[in-house]
Amino acid sequence: MADELVKTALLDRHMKEVFDWSDSETPVRDALWDYFMEKNGRDTMKTEEDMLPFLDYSDDKIESFVNENLKK
């Protein structure tokens, strides 16, 4: 249980806490969900499928993805 909390800690932090280019209070997890929902035409099942790997990604991999895809 504790490993799960540590593994997803970055996903639960606010965007502005993790990324100096963001001033958003939105948790990283929600920002990613919104990104995939837009990309998938609001298909919840496809978005859930796209989000699953992020539960196992390292913080560096998540940060890299967000910087490449969500940074405006």
Side-chain angles (χ1 to χ4, degrees):
M1 179 76 168
D3 286 343
E4 286 301 311
L5 293 176
V6 171
K7 192 186 294 187
T8 63
L10 177 98
L11 292 173
D12 296 326
R13 292 177 63 201
H14 295 191
M15 287 288 290
K16 71 179 192 176
E17 294 175 344
V18 182
F19 303 99
D20 58 4
W21 49 263
S22 179
D23 60 1
S24 176
E25 294 280 341
T26 303
V28 174
R29 177 189 314 272
D30 292 352
L32 286 167
W33 180 267
D34 293 345
Y35 167 79
F36 284 118
M37 283 293 278
E38 287 298 315
K39 185 173 172 250
N40 296 326
R42 300 277 196 228
D43 182 335
T44 304
M45 298 306 288
K46 178 72 174 120
T47 297
E48 182 179 356
E49 186 180 308
D50 287 343
M51 286 289 295
L52 277 175
F54 286 86
L55 298 177
D56 292 322
Y57 285 175
S58 67
D59 288 356
D60 288 346
K61 191 165 184 174
I62 294 170
E63 287 179 30
S64 177
F65 182 90
V66 171
N67 278 321
E68 290 173 22
N69 296 281
L70 276 69
K71 188 174 180 180
K72 295 178 176 56

